[in-house]
Amino acid sequence: MKLDRRVLLRGAVAGGGLAALQGLMPAWAQTGSPGLRADLPTLTGPNIDLTVGQTPFTVNGRTATATTINGVLPAPVLRLREGQNVRLAVTNQLDEDTSIHWHGILLPFQMDGVPGISFPGIRPRETFVYEFSVRQSGTFWYHSHSGLQEALGHYGPIVIDPAGADPVGYDREHVLVLSDWSFMHPHEIFEKLKKSPGYFNRQRTTLAGLLDGSDRMSLEERRTWGQMRMDPRDLLDVNGSTYTYLINGHGPQENWTGLFRPGERVRLRIINASAMSIFNVRIPGLPMTVVQADGENVRPVETDEFQISAAETYDVIVRPTEDRAYTIVSEAIDRSGMGRATLAPRLGMTAEIPPLREVPNLTMKDMGMGDMGGMDHGSMGAQPGGAMAGMDHGAMTAAAGGAMAGMDHGAMAPQAPAGTMSGMDMAGMNMRDAENAPPDMAVGVGVDAIAMAPANRMGERPIGLQDVPHRVLVYTDLVALEPNKDQRPPSRTMEIHLTGNMERFMWGFDGRKFSELVEPIRFERDERVRVTLVNDSMMSHPIHLHGHFFELVTGGPAGRQPLKHTVNVPPGGKVTFDLTADNPGDWAFHCHLLLHMHAGMFNVVTVRPMEGAAS
């Protein structure tokens, strides 16, 4: 283990060493924020030692105890090279078990780091050695897969340099780790959500907002949402009411600063390492060219803003030509707060911080109700009255899409067995009736809705960005830089439903939360399968598959479907991907919103046969 010399030259070592180095370097070569650790320490080489422990962490003048790696939050950058072998010795100094999962890294499943799936976990005061060959390059990250430690600071970035020439040309780079921090313990957050799912939502529609038009909803729309007992502003379960949004461990007031020299091509490796947050990222006044998604190179595409869901990564190139500062904004999708950092030619410079934009309203399309007979729901709520004014929702019949009046999510009987909807009128829900539910769906207390008309929304601008006056990245913009390795047509198809009961904060796949009794998802080794994820809920779900990349079916150029390890499935939406199950073993498959996974949206993907096993 050694400190990367390149980081020293960037001035990324804290304390007196940083001061000494800054005295030797021109201002443009320095990176950092006065009085704070400027950048992330970097570890490289074939042998790396990591220690998981507890460390005081201060943000916005308040201090708490974080779960850290080598005493820093975020954890050190691991700088590896494609083709090398790496040995990572992880020592646990906590009083509970821990683990490290290498997110997006292709390796043997025994090294994947998921307790109970691929290894037992790392007990207190013990060391576990992860060892594998590095088979890829790009921007990735690592984090705990034990309990809720990830929410307490147990995460860090991985940068893997390619073995040959990098197709992306750049003069300088910065790693940007986006995350969320609360002084409320994640177990307490979870308990509050179980008792009251809207506990953290301080942005609900109000009578005053109805009267003055600021809620951008008509009385009829308000009545409809009220009858459904659903909240049109339920965008994030946990938000800026308790979270401080961090960039490289710095709160907005602390203003992490990355330096550049005007005219340089600067590569920003952006990682969403948050527990429960989805961000919209922009740099006002500075276009971004996306060159990589989830560590895989894509054809360059210029944009002004993109949404990054939990666990995704995007690499962008920016080329600031002016001698001025730029604000990096990571705004929570419910507009309850933002992370903020700065790009500047010199330390101490700042740029204007844009105000939080207005809170988006969900629409019937976000409930999986399609276009409701051709109505333009994308514009609903754009002005007082919205597109639903005057619509007779009480007259809607089950045949025409379900009578929503009087729907009572709280009426689900907790003792109702799978396959029944005791205490409810199925025709009164935003649901297809039980006979039309997918055959493998466990329709019971864990499912409060089944989308009637889920739509492929990969080409749509994300929620809240439909009407912004600039370019917005969508999944269909992504095209793989190199041809896909496996271009066989899928031999079978599979549909997996993302389900939940929002009133009870229950989440699962196909109506079942994870337990030892849940049947794993099985693939034959090297099988080619087309998987469709259908989101029956009103919440976004970033779904992550360990040990594999899948190809998003975007309708783009043949043979160049973009590769992803995590994909965000929007409310009422569906996403289709092609998977080559070429990595044998048992792999975690889950929503990467930590508390959704904790509440049950998790399963195991098993790929067989193993090496040397008979088929």
Side-chain angles (χ1 to χ4, degrees):
M1 181 182 73
K2 63 177 184 292
L3 196 63
D4 190 333
R5 188 178 67 88
R6 288 170 294 189
V7 176
L8 282 169
L9 293 177
R10 290 193 195 104
V13 181
L18 174 61
L21 284 168
Q22 286 181 338
L24 299 174
M25 292 187 297
W28 64 263
Q30 301 171 23
T31 300
S33 307
L36 293 165
R37 190 185 71 250
D39 216 336
L40 305 177
T42 298
L43 304 176
T44 187
N47 296 291
I48 295 175
D49 294 332
L50 301 173
T51 300
V52 181
Q54 291 190 318
T55 307
F57 175 68
T58 300
V59 64
N60 292 344
R62 296 179 62 190
T63 300
T65 299
T67 299
T68 60
I69 298 175
N70 289 17
V72 293
L73 188 163
V77 178
L78 304 184
R79 190 103 197 190
L80 308 176
R81 178 168 290 278
E82 182 182 14
Q84 79 167 94
N85 294 320
V86 64
R87 186 178 183 274
L88 299 129
V90 180
T91 300
N92 181 10
Q93 294 293 351
L94 301 175
D95 293 327
E96 61 184 18
D97 287 7
T98 193
S99 58
I100 293 182
H101 163 59
W102 316 99
H103 187 102
I105 304 299
L106 301 173
L107 36 61
F109 86 97
Q110 299 92 337
M111 297 289 108
D112 192 49
V114 182
I117 306 297
S118 53
F119 85 138
I122 309 172
R123 298 184 185 280
R125 261 62 67 181
E126 291 188 357
T127 297
F128 182 84
V129 178
Y130 296 87
E131 193 164 5
F132 52 88
S133 298
V134 180
R135 299 162 45 189
Q136 63 207 104
S137 62
T139 301
F140 306 95
W141 64 297
Y142 61 109
H143 61 84
S144 173
H145 234 288
S146 300
L148 302 180
Q149 294 170 1
E150 186 182 339
L152 292 167
H154 189 315
Y155 50 80
I158 301 173
V159 175
I160 305 177
D161 294 308
D166 195 326
V168 179
Y170 58 98
D171 303 304
R172 180 195 299 264
E173 69 176 20
H174 295 296
V175 175
L176 301 178
V177 180
L178 314 181
S179 60
D180 43 31
W181 172 267
S182 175
F183 287 93
M184 183 182 296
H185 194 279
H187 285 296
E188 184 179 352
I189 291 175
F190 184 74
E191 288 304 314
K192 289 186 182 300
L193 291 172
K194 290 294 287 185
K195 293 174 183 176
S196 174
Y199 180 88
F200 296 100
N201 188 355
R202 306 290 191 267
Q203 303 186 111
R204 300 183 182 191
T205 54
T206 63
L207 177 59
L210 174 66
L211 295 176
D212 65 19
S214 61
D215 280 350
R216 309 181 312 282
M217 297 185 73
S218 69
L219 179 60
E220 186 62 29
E221 287 176 88
R222 288 280 298 274
R223 182 181 295 116
T224 299
W225 285 100
Q227 289 170 340
M228 293 186 297
R229 295 193 178 184
M230 290 185 174
D231 181 358
R233 292 184 171 175
D234 192 4
L235 295 157
L236 292 173
D237 295 301
V238 193
N239 58 25
S241 66
T242 187
Y243 278 147
T244 298
Y245 296 114
L246 308 179
I247 298 182
N248 289 354
H250 293 54
Q253 299 172 8
E254 296 159 348
N255 188 27
W256 181 91
T257 301
L259 298 187
F260 67 86
R261 183 163 54 181
E264 285 184 322
R265 289 170 52 87
V266 182
R267 182 174 190 162
L268 304 177
R269 299 179 181 267
I270 304 171
I271 301 165
N272 186 351
S274 65
M276 292 293 292
S277 302
I278 302 172
F279 298 110
N280 294 325
V281 176
R282 68 192 194 276
I283 309 175
L286 194 59
M288 300 177 288
T289 300
V290 177
V291 294
Q292 197 176 92
D294 284 359
E296 292 289 332
N297 294 320
V298 297
R299 290 179 180 174
V301 54
E302 190 172 273
T303 192
D304 299 300
E305 187 165 11
F306 61 87
Q307 186 173 106
I308 183 168
S309 200
E312 290 187 303
T313 74
Y314 283 100
D315 285 29
V316 303
I317 298 292
V318 296
R319 191 179 183 188
T321 58
E322 300 178 57
D323 186 42
R324 52 160 287 198
Y326 298 86
T327 297
I328 302 170
V329 176
S330 57
E331 185 178 43
I333 62 167
D334 70 341
R335 281 47 186 285
S336 61
M338 69 168 66
R340 169 251 185 158
T342 298
L343 284 176
R346 292 173 296 281
L347 290 177
M349 298 179 70
T350 60
E352 180 183 358
I353 303 171
L356 291 167
R357 295 173 290 190
E358 63 184 15
V359 186
N361 291 329
L362 294 171
T363 70
M364 293 298 105
K365 193 168 187 179
D366 300 309
M367 293 184 63
M369 298 183 71
D371 286 329
M372 299 284 287
M375 289 177 57
D376 181 10
H377 293 283
S379 64
M380 287 168 59
Q383 59 277 333
M388 294 185 65
M391 184 175 171
D392 184 4
H393 296 283
M396 292 170 61
T397 65
M404 296 180 295
M407 187 173 85
D408 184 356
H409 292 283
M412 291 192 185
Q415 69 277 12
T420 71
M421 298 298 290
S422 174
M424 298 187 58
D425 177 9
M426 284 288 294
M429 294 191 65
N430 169 32
M431 300 186 72
R432 297 172 286 190
D433 58 54
E435 293 180 359
N436 293 325
D440 294 330
M441 176 82 77
V443 182
V445 69
V447 180
D448 67 1
I450 301 174
M452 292 179 300
N456 179 342
R457 306 182 70 178
M458 284 194 287
E460 295 182 16
R461 289 184 170 200
I463 293 169
L465 298 180
Q466 295 94 331
D467 301 317
V468 296
H470 53 245
R471 296 166 296 181
V472 175
L473 185 78
V474 295
Y475 279 139
T476 51
D477 291 332
L478 301 177
V479 177
L481 187 64
E482 299 294 333
N484 301 138
K485 294 179 181 177
D486 189 352
Q487 298 191 23
R488 295 175 296 161
S491 60
R492 67 180 173 112
T493 61
M494 173 182 295
E495 187 172 277
I496 299 172
H497 285 250
L498 319 181
T499 54
N501 182 327
M502 296 173 69
E503 280 294 312
R504 300 173 185 270
F505 202 73
M506 299 171 66
W507 301 102
F509 292 122
D510 291 329
R512 300 173 179 88
K513 71 175 186 177
F514 180 69
S515 72
E516 293 179 358
L517 301 178
V518 172
E519 185 70 14
I521 300 168
R522 300 181 184 278
F523 296 108
E524 290 292 323
R525 186 174 183 183
D526 293 325
E527 182 182 15
R528 186 87 167 146
V529 184
R530 175 158 291 184
V531 178
T532 296
L533 304 175
V534 179
N535 189 350
D536 288 316
S537 79
M538 286 177 55
M539 303 297 292
S540 295
H541 296 291
I543 301 300
H544 173 49
L545 173 61
H546 290 216
H548 295 78
F549 280 79
F550 45 76
E551 304 157 24
L552 294 184
V553 179
T554 60
R560 290 183 182 265
Q561 299 182 132
L563 292 169
K564 296 276 289 172
H565 54 58
T566 305
V567 63
N568 191 65
V569 189
K574 60 182 179 181
V575 165
T576 297
F577 61 77
D578 290 339
L579 170 69
T580 299
D582 57 0
N583 202 350
D586 295 327
W587 303 98
F589 174 71
H590 60 92
C591 178
H592 221 286
L593 295 177
L594 182 61
L595 300 184
H596 287 191
M597 180 182 73
H598 190 66
M601 192 174 278
F602 182 99
N603 203 349
V604 175
V605 165
T606 181
V607 179
R608 295 291 189 275
M610 302 288 286
E611 292 284 354
S615 59

